[in-house]
Amino acid sequence: MMNKRSEFDVEINDTKGTPFIDNAKISARNVEVFYEKKQAIFNTSIDIGKNQIVAMIGPSGCGKSTFLRCLNRMNDTIQSCQIRGEIKLDNEDIYARQQDPVLLRARVGMVFQKPNPFSKSIYDNVAYGAKLHGLTSNQVELDDLVEKSLMRAGLFNEVKDDLHKPGTGLSGGQQQRLCIARTIAIDPEVILMDEPTSALDPIATAVIEELMIELSKKYTIVIVTHSMQQAARVSQRTAYFHMGHLIEVNDTNTVFTNPEHQLTENYITGRFG
Amino acid sequence: MSFSVTVIVLFALLLLGYFVGRKRSIYVSKNNTKPLHSLPQYYGYLVALWSCLPALLVLLVWTALNSSVISSMTISYFPEQVQQLSKDDLSLLVNEIINLSESKEVLQDSMKQAVVSKYLHLVELSQQLKVGVVFILAFVGMFIGFRLIKPHTRARNLVEKLVRWTMVACASIAVLTTIGIVFSVVFEAHQFFKSVSISEFVFGAHWSPQGAIREGQVGGSGSFGALPLFVGTLLISFIALLIAVPLGLMSAIYLSEYATDKFRAFAKPMLEILAGIPTVVYGFFAALTVAPFIRDMGESLGLQPASESALAAGIVMGVMIIPFVSSLSDDIICAVPQAMRDGSYAMGATKSETIRQVIIPAALPGIVGGVLLAASRAIGETMIVVMAAGLFANLTLNPLQAVTTVTVQIVTLLTGDQEFDSPKTLAAFALGLGLFLTTLLLNTISLYMVRKYREQYE
Amino acid sequence: MQKSAMINNEIIRKRLAKRYAKERRFRLYGVASITISIAFLLTLLVNISLNGLPAFQQTYINLEVNLDEDILGVTSSSNDKEFLQGNYSKAIKSSLKTLFPNVKGRKNNKALKQLVSSSATYQIRDFVMDNPNMIGTTQSFWFLAKDDIDVFIKGGIDRSLPETDRRIKDLQLIWIDQLLFDQRLEKRFNFTFFTQSDSREPEQAGIKGAVVGSLLVMLVTMLLSFPIGVLAAVYLEEFAPQNNKWVDMIEININNLAAVPSIVFGLLGLAVFIGLFGVPRSVPLVGGLVLTLMTLPTIIITTRAALKAVPYSIREAALALGASRVQMAFHHVVPAAMPGILTGTIIGMAQALGETAPLLMIGMVAFVANVPQGIADPSTVLPVQIYLWSDSPERAFIERTYAAIMVLIGFLVMMNFIAVIMRRIFEKKF
């Protein structure tokens, strides 16, 4: 094993770059994820800064989506999934006993790869979270919240006359913005985005990317993307995953111009991935 | 020669045809410069089919039509004045002749005696002719098949063409069955509506078909207002759905969303057993255990439930339909994409909130389709109501009273020995028509809804 | 942390307990639904077993019968006709008389005779005809007890009730106690139930005729529906052209027929098979025909599912080797799908075996005391026998109804068990 080292398994035990920062919104330490016997994430530690956009890149199956789903405990819904280590949101361990996944997910929202509006009206899609959590006390407040959220997701002008038509009838890009609108309607602190534009055309993608930058003024955003250009365009920091290991984290500029790790360089220069 | 012996001989000819055909084709291909088109066994099949199929078809058609043709011929043997009798009396007379001919007694009535002997002669003749024609056809067929063994005969293609047409015929039986159902109920119902108007049948509130068989009654027919039957059917079906839909739906939800694999492996087959129990068993249980239980319960509460209350039949029918509803809903709930669930969980919804506010609304068209199918089941269910519901028409919506249903009346009107053309038996077919149309409508709507629903997520 | 988020968190936190309580309640509804369903099933099965088990035992009465020539009116040299006319009931009467010499009066004597089933006379007759040399001796016989006596011995009649409210007279109670004391009453396995057909006397009634009738009906159904169903399914799955009106029509019809109430098939059978084609009523042939039409949709649908599960590569391999489409279908695809097809057929057959309503329409409800010899003999079937008995006022018939249900469910369990094993084999295959 030791004498047959290929260029790919050079020192992947240590994350290169600057995984740790001050004033972190989320800090993950020594996270490991298992599906039954199979290990999907190895000893991963990273800090995610407040009001930043952090992009997670890496080849398919590298564990970036799995890691993302740990951040709002979405992996709880998969029975065979086990998580070790520690993830703190504002210095509270989100996997602690007293921590409630429902409350956590209200604080850490998520947008998925494929737009998944509920088969309800556009209005009800956006109002869903607020109604669940009892965030508004009357119809006027709710109307107001729906309008504001749609506005901030840049969708309101397109749908203001069709609020009671089904959300599934919108175009792909509009559906994705609807999903973003319904996420920000409950005013989370962090928004996780799992390849949010991979099912969209370039124009819709551009609209979403603009929206992300706009939203990062208020929210902390973690985005998983398979597009390095997207990571370069929107994120302040970029993390590179490889086969379940977090290889390198750094300012986006540094990662793309001066990667420390050979694997990162191979990936961003397009030698594989 | 009896029918079964004829069939056995024909099968022997089939085997013979196969072996002869095969042997012959091997012989032909050896002594011919040009090779045969197909493998020897296909020539065997060809000869076998030619020797058996036409003969078998003629045999079946002949046997099916034999008795009706002979009966109508027998009528022509009666003297002129007898032939003037009504159709019903004539058919009775023919039946008498048939019965007399079996008893083989010597009769006093010379006219009948003459007809009986002519009838017997006819039966004999028909039998001999049938066997003769069938075997002549069989041998002619075998000869034709034998002549077909030539290099340029495409035996395989011919056999396969026949196989294909046989398959088409088999598949078409489904259509023929529907046509058969429609014709049988429509024809008899049409007879019925000649004497009872449709509006009286559908909206009449008085149902007592028993009146029809009393002799010398004015008008000669009972009252056929089927409204109490329809109401009774709907009442019992409604009670059944009231039990089956919530229990079935909740069971399906629990099993698909909450239960551990181990619990599911135990509970699912249990529910399937519930579906496999024959309806006659449910009926017996309803009549002997549930109905008395409800009567006692009602009495202890100061009510006076009938001993054959609609409630008892409805509850048991509901339990019978639970697995039906649950397996349909299970399929439909599983078709809701996981992404939609994830979306809801990611908003901080609990499992039950996700199910109630996301999954059920998304699955609603499918679930409604399933419920309609269950309703069609409940409306058409027979044994439970025959054994546990009442016999007498009672226009009420009180579940503690005895009501009767469409299926109960069909069974009561058609079991027992009445003549076939009385308004009583015809009324059963009119009810059957109503039942068929209602369930057909429900099935069509629900199949359409479920299909559209599935396409949505495919 | 944003201020609004802080407030939101508080609002959410406050409602959490309530929401989780709702969640627990919802789960509870689910568990309750399943529990109710399963509890009903268990109640049903336990109820049937508890009520049906006693029917597998039958009370017998032991009597010493004097086979005297004068009483029987036959001698060892009598011919068959004379044997058939012998007065065997007199022998039983005198045998009872010797046990209870004090019984006086017509009414009481009749009550005494009511202890023994009417089949006892045939039992003696058959014994005497088989052993004419025994005439003149006294033989010990075990006779079937009358149904009321049987029910009483099994604890089904409360002796503390006033005499007018129970089916056993006070005098009979005394005799029964005497017989019990003399060990002349005994419960034995009820062979009669399995070896006899329907009877007006409960203690002589059995299910053999109904079981044979069911088997004959199943035979007809199987022989017709299996080949027709499989051929139809193979056509629709492997040959049917796309977008063909006739094929669409067939598909719609199959789906609809699967949901048509079974009683409607009975009406079809009555009008078409009996009315039009003149097939006799009440025979397994017409029952089989009706059930064939009823089970065809099930068999076609499951067979198509089984054919669909056969990998496409098998078809391509066959065609690539030069097989015709017919050869491909029947030499490769159908054999590969066979376990699935058989599973579906068994499920269809199980459905048909439990079916009652359509058979009522075609006259299979007649009282048939003989075992049918062929598919053209009048007969009944097991579920219909259950229906017929269930209506009887006699307690012993009700008991037998439960027992017949146990036998029917036994058959169904067996068939489903075979289907499950088939499914296992099927799953391993691909």
Side-chain angles (χ1 to χ4, degrees):
Chain A
M1 200 57 184
M2 291 299 281
N3 52 7
K4 261 189 86 181
R5 285 172 74 154
S6 76
E7 60 174 316
F8 292 124
D9 34 39
V10 275
E11 291 164 44
I12 44 180
N13 289 327
D14 282 324
T15 302
K16 297 283 183 194
T18 55
F20 308 123
I21 58 170
D22 295 333
N23 197 14
K25 181 74 184 173
I26 297 175
S27 54
R29 294 291 179 272
N30 310 102
V31 174
E32 307 211 295
V33 180
F34 299 83
Y35 291 112
E36 310 232 308
K37 293 272 159 61
K38 197 178 161 283
Q39 188 161 6
I41 301 280
F42 299 85
N43 198 15
T44 294
S45 303
I46 184 175
D47 282 342
I48 288 156
K50 204 172 165 182
N51 288 18
Q52 271 191 334
I53 301 183
V54 176
M56 295 186 172
I57 58 170
S60 319
C62 67
K64 54 192 194 295
S65 283
T66 304
F67 183 72
L68 189 76
R69 290 168 67 95
C70 291
L71 300 182
N72 69 343
R73 290 182 63 173
M74 276 303 280
N75 283 333
D76 286 17
T77 54
I78 301 164
Q79 276 182 359
S80 61
C81 184
Q82 276 194 349
I83 294 149
R84 289 189 201 144
E86 187 183 70
I87 299 174
K88 283 184 169 169
L89 173 69
D90 288 332
N91 278 325
E92 288 173 52
D93 186 355
I94 65 170
Y95 283 95
R97 257 178 177 279
Q98 70 274 13
Q99 186 58 253
D100 190 280
V102 167
L103 186 58
L104 173 74
R105 288 178 197 148
R107 294 172 65 191
V108 183
M110 187 164 186
V111 175
F112 295 83
Q113 178 172 7
K114 225 182 123 210
N116 56 353
F118 307 131
S119 36
K120 299 166 176 286
S121 69
I122 294 170
Y123 182 96
D124 285 335
N125 260 287
V126 181
Y128 179 68
K131 276 190 195 160
L132 275 185
H133 301 301
L135 297 181
T136 54
S137 43
N138 56 48
Q139 190 62 39
V140 181
E141 268 184 56
L142 189 62
D143 289 349
D144 196 43
L145 177 71
V146 169
E147 189 181 326
K148 242 195 228 153
S149 308
L150 283 170
M151 204 95 88
R152 279 163 66 193
L155 191 61
F156 186 70
N157 288 330
E158 292 162 54
V159 301
K160 63 182 172 211
D161 299 324
D162 304 326
L163 284 183
H164 293 281
K165 291 196 178 155
T168 42
L170 297 172
S171 73
Q174 289 175 321
Q175 286 191 9
Q176 196 62 301
R177 276 181 284 152
L178 178 64
C179 292
I180 293 173
R182 102 185 156 195
T183 307
I184 57 183
I186 54 175
D187 207 14
E189 297 155 40
V190 182
I191 301 176
L192 310 176
M193 296 188 170
D194 190 356
E195 303 194 21
T197 60
S198 66
L200 304 180
D201 61 68
I203 297 169
T205 303
V207 175
I208 303 264
E209 282 178 7
E210 256 171 63
L211 180 59
M212 274 189 257
I213 294 168
E214 178 66 27
L215 291 173
S216 71
K217 289 174 190 161
K218 199 173 170 206
Y219 306 107
T220 305
I221 295 178
V222 185
I223 171 173
V224 163
T225 177
H226 63 271
S227 150
M228 283 177 280
Q229 290 85 342
Q230 185 169 57
R233 281 194 298 265
V234 299
S235 69
Q236 280 93 52
R237 273 156 54 81
T238 296
Y240 174 67
F241 279 83
H242 182 86
M243 303 207 22
H245 297 271
L246 177 56
I247 305 296
E248 181 165 351
V249 186
N250 222 326
D251 290 343
T252 302
N253 257 339
T254 319
V255 169
F256 283 104
T257 53
N258 189 17
E260 282 181 41
H261 201 287
Q262 185 63 40
L263 283 170
T264 319
E265 191 178 336
N266 288 346
Y267 183 69
I268 61 173
T269 52
R271 268 200 246 166
F272 72 92
Chain B
M1 209 184 277
S2 80
F3 181 78
S4 48
V5 176
T6 317
V7 171
I8 290 169
V9 173
L10 277 182
F11 271 101
L13 281 176
L14 181 110
L15 286 178
L16 182 72
Y18 175 73
F19 285 112
V20 169
R22 225 176 64 137
K23 271 264 149 53
R24 168 78 188 165
S25 68
I26 292 170
Y27 174 79
V28 168
S29 67
K30 266 188 194 157
N31 298 298
N32 212 318
T33 46
K34 213 180 157 211
L36 285 175
H37 169 271
S38 311
L39 290 172
Q41 74 231 39
Y42 281 99
Y43 291 93
Y45 292 143
L46 198 63
V47 177
L49 289 171
W50 264 107
S51 52
C52 191
L53 220 53
L56 197 64
L57 278 177
V58 168
L59 178 67
L60 287 176
V61 171
W62 196 309
T63 311
L65 298 179
N66 196 24
S67 62
S68 52
V69 171
I70 287 185
S71 315
S72 66
M73 285 174 80
T74 311
I75 291 174
S76 69
Y77 293 139
F78 289 124
E80 290 270 324
Q81 69 272 25
V82 179
Q83 288 192 41
Q84 304 301 319
L85 286 169
S86 77
K87 225 176 118 192
D88 294 348
D89 291 337
L90 273 178
S91 74
L92 275 180
L93 212 56
V94 171
N95 275 334
E96 197 189 338
I97 296 294
I98 294 171
N99 289 335
L100 288 173
S101 68
E102 276 162 11
S103 70
K104 293 196 174 101
E105 279 172 39
V106 181
L107 299 170
Q108 308 299 322
D109 188 333
S110 65
M111 184 274 275
K112 279 183 185 164
Q113 180 61 47
V115 178
V116 165
S117 63
K118 276 182 181 165
Y119 169 81
L120 282 174
H121 178 70
L122 208 57
V123 171
E124 184 98 336
L125 190 71
S126 154
Q127 180 66 22
Q128 284 168 352
L129 260 179
K130 181 169 77 178
V131 172
V133 168
V134 164
F135 284 116
I136 287 170
L137 265 177
F139 283 110
V140 169
M142 193 181 272
F143 182 71
I144 294 174
F146 204 71
R147 290 290 304 273
L148 279 172
I149 304 174
K150 285 176 197 151
H152 66 262
T153 307
R154 302 168 151 227
R156 201 198 74 222
N157 302 39
L158 289 174
V159 171
E160 289 188 351
K161 202 180 246 174
L162 185 79
V163 170
R164 271 182 191 236
W165 280 109
T166 312
M167 288 195 294
V168 173
C170 286
S172 302
I173 284 180
V175 181
L176 287 184
T177 308
T178 309
I179 295 174
I181 289 173
V182 170
F183 265 83
S184 53
V185 291
V186 167
F187 181 72
E188 310 284 345
H190 178 70
Q191 301 277 320
F192 173 74
F193 287 125
K194 277 182 189 161
S195 52
V196 179
S197 76
I198 293 185
S199 65
E200 187 199 329
F201 178 69
V202 176
F203 298 111
H206 190 63
W207 175 268
S208 68
Q210 274 66 27
I213 49 167
R214 267 206 307 276
E215 288 211 16
Q217 194 183 11
V218 186
S221 89
S223 17
F224 293 99
L227 188 64
L229 276 51
F230 298 143
V231 172
T233 307
L234 291 181
L235 176 65
I236 291 182
S237 305
F238 182 72
I239 297 170
L241 290 181
L242 221 53
I243 303 268
V245 172
L247 288 182
L249 192 57
M250 283 308 294
S251 304
I253 288 171
Y254 188 82
L255 287 179
S256 64
E257 304 281 325
Y258 286 103
T260 58
D261 291 348
K262 228 171 155 186
F263 183 72
R264 196 169 24 236
F266 158 77
K268 243 189 156 165
M270 290 294 255
L271 288 182
E272 276 165 23
I273 294 177
L274 218 44
I277 289 177
T279 54
V280 67
V281 178
Y282 280 113
F284 186 61
F285 188 67
L288 259 80
T289 310
V290 179
F293 177 75
I294 284 172
R295 198 188 49 219
D296 294 348
M297 285 282 284
E299 274 167 3
S300 68
L301 291 171
L303 300 166
Q304 261 131 22
S307 55
E308 292 177 321
S309 62
L311 194 58
I315 288 176
V316 174
M317 195 191 280
V319 172
M320 186 196 84
I321 306 177
I322 287 176
F324 191 69
V325 175
S326 81
S327 78
L328 277 174
S329 336
D330 192 39
D331 287 354
I332 281 155
I333 288 169
C334 286
V336 176
Q338 180 63 30
M340 216 180 262
R341 276 162 243 242
D342 283 349
S344 174
Y345 293 140
M347 304 279 296
T350 63
K351 224 167 190 179
S352 67
E353 285 161 350
T354 304
I355 292 163
R356 273 192 308 211
Q357 300 183 34
V358 174
I359 297 178
I360 303 263
L364 201 61
I367 291 175
V368 171
V371 170
L372 288 185
L373 218 51
S376 145
R377 260 257 160 121
I379 289 171
E381 170 49 42
T382 307
M383 288 324 289
I384 293 179
V385 281
V386 165
M387 295 167 86
L391 276 181
F392 296 104
N394 183 4
L395 188 59
T396 177
L397 285 175
N398 182 351
L400 294 177
Q401 294 213 340
V403 294
T404 191
T405 72
V406 173
T407 47
V408 171
Q409 289 306 317
I410 294 176
V411 170
T412 343
L413 294 176
L414 286 182
T415 49
D417 300 313
Q418 290 99 26
E419 65 268 52
F420 200 63
D421 280 346
S422 77
K424 241 180 106 170
T425 53
L426 291 178
F429 282 92
L431 289 174
L433 177 65
L435 182 66
F436 178 67
L437 289 181
T438 315
T439 52
L440 185 71
L441 188 73
L442 286 171
N443 298 342
T444 313
I445 296 174
S446 78
L447 287 173
Y448 176 80
M449 287 180 85
V450 172
R451 206 181 61 223
K452 278 274 161 242
Y453 168 75
R454 285 186 181 287
E455 281 169 3
Q456 181 191 340
Y457 292 122
E458 259 166 14
Chain C
M1 198 188 286
Q2 302 105 308
K3 205 173 165 213
S4 65
M6 286 271 284
I7 300 166
N8 273 356
N9 285 350
E10 268 325 292
I11 299 173
I12 296 170
R13 206 185 295 275
K14 263 187 209 151
R15 286 168 48 96
L16 269 181
K18 228 177 173 179
R19 285 171 68 191
Y20 277 119
K22 242 181 176 173
E23 170 78 21
R24 276 193 299 276
R25 243 182 349 256
F26 190 76
R27 270 184 87 124
L28 198 68
Y29 295 147
V31 177
S33 301
I34 294 174
T35 316
I36 291 172
S37 309
I38 292 176
F40 189 95
L41 173 69
L42 293 181
T43 316
L44 178 78
L45 294 179
V46 169
N47 179 331
I48 286 166
S49 309
L50 287 183
N51 285 298
L53 276 178
F56 291 104
Q57 288 205 315
Q58 163 71 34
T59 310
Y60 284 77
I61 291 186
N62 177 232
L63 292 179
E64 263 93 46
V65 181
N66 185 3
L67 302 175
D68 189 72
E69 283 182 11
D70 294 338
I71 298 175
L72 298 179
V74 290
T75 63
S76 50
S77 54
S78 295
N79 60 21
D80 279 3
K81 202 174 169 193
E82 285 164 349
F83 271 127
L84 290 178
Q85 285 165 349
N87 192 352
Y88 304 102
S89 82
K90 197 171 167 193
I92 294 165
K93 232 184 272 175
S94 71
S95 158
L96 283 163
K97 255 308 213 250
T98 42
L99 278 177
F100 304 106
N102 299 328
V103 178
K104 293 271 152 29
R106 220 179 120 80
K107 223 171 132 193
N108 290 349
N109 269 316
K110 204 179 159 204
L112 181 61
K113 228 198 127 213
Q114 293 276 312
L115 293 176
V116 183
S117 166
S118 61
S119 68
T121 51
Y122 308 118
Q123 206 177 326
I124 299 177
R125 184 192 70 197
D126 293 347
F127 178 82
V128 171
M129 281 174 84
D130 289 344
N131 311 287
N133 54 331
M134 293 290 189
I135 292 176
T137 62
T138 297
Q139 294 292 326
S140 173
F141 284 95
W142 283 95
F143 297 120
L144 284 172
K146 195 88 178 121
D147 57 326
D148 290 332
I149 313 302
D150 180 47
V151 171
F152 174 76
I153 295 295
K154 290 172 184 166
I157 293 177
D158 185 0
R159 69 191 302 160
S160 63
L161 285 172
E163 187 178 8
T164 46
D165 287 359
R166 60 175 135 79
R167 289 179 62 96
I168 292 195
K169 310 257 168 342
D170 284 343
L171 259 177
Q172 284 178 312
L173 278 181
I174 297 167
W175 300 330
I176 290 170
D177 289 339
Q178 179 65 44
L179 286 169
L180 279 172
F181 183 78
D182 295 344
Q183 295 186 326
R184 285 180 183 281
L185 278 176
E186 205 175 290
K187 278 194 283 182
R188 298 179 169 187
F189 183 75
N190 190 356
F191 282 108
T192 316
F193 185 65
F194 295 99
T195 55
Q196 297 296 314
S197 293
D198 200 5
S199 165
R200 301 283 182 209
E201 305 298 328
E203 75 275 3
Q204 295 169 38
I207 54 168
K208 188 178 175 194
V211 168
V212 172
S214 272
L215 291 179
L216 288 171
V217 171
M218 286 296 106
L219 187 76
V220 175
T221 312
M222 179 88 182
L223 287 180
L224 289 174
S225 65
F226 181 70
I228 294 177
V230 171
L231 284 176
V234 170
Y235 176 73
L236 293 173
E237 205 52 47
E238 309 284 334
F239 294 94
Q242 296 270 305
N243 298 324
N244 177 309
K245 283 244 167 77
W246 184 246
V247 173
D248 288 347
M249 181 98 149
I250 291 172
E251 303 232 9
I252 292 170
N253 271 295
I254 289 171
N255 286 333
N256 263 320
L257 285 177
V260 163
S262 59
I263 190 170
V264 173
F265 287 97
L267 290 176
L268 167 77
L270 180 58
V272 174
F273 295 134
I274 294 176
L276 198 64
F277 293 140
V279 183
R281 273 167 157 261
S282 313
V283 300
L285 175 64
V286 65
L289 285 170
V290 168
L291 292 183
T292 298
L293 296 184
M294 213 194 73
T295 46
L296 264 181
T298 311
I299 293 180
I300 293 176
I301 290 169
T302 46
T303 302
R304 290 185 70 178
L307 292 172
K308 266 201 187 96
V310 175
Y312 200 74
S313 53
I314 287 189
R315 296 180 176 85
E316 282 170 337
L319 290 177
L321 287 173
S324 70
R325 285 186 71 81
V326 172
Q327 285 169 328
M328 170 208 85
F330 289 98
H331 296 174
H332 301 279
V333 180
V334 172
M338 204 36 108
I341 295 174
L342 290 179
T343 310
T345 309
I346 293 170
I347 290 169
M349 287 297 119
Q351 247 176 40
L353 178 60
E355 197 52 72
T356 321
L359 301 180
L360 301 183
M361 299 289 92
I362 51 173
M364 295 196 88
V365 279
F367 172 80
V368 181
N370 300 320
V371 177
Q373 300 299 314
I375 59 169
D377 274 1
S379 77
T380 184
V381 294
L382 201 45
V384 176
Q385 186 71 72
I386 290 167
Y387 168 66
L388 285 172
W389 281 347
S390 74
D391 224 14
S392 316
E394 288 97 341
R395 174 139 189 161
F397 266 134
I398 297 301
E399 192 180 273
R400 277 166 176 73
T401 312
Y402 281 112
I405 289 176
M406 288 171 75
V407 174
L408 177 62
I409 291 182
F411 275 118
L412 292 175
V413 167
M414 220 158 68
M415 291 172 81
N416 281 294
F417 187 68
I418 295 171
V420 167
I421 291 174
M422 292 274 196
R423 211 179 293 168
R424 292 259 162 84
I425 298 169
F426 182 52
E427 273 168 358
K428 270 181 204 157
K429 195 136 187 182
F430 301 115

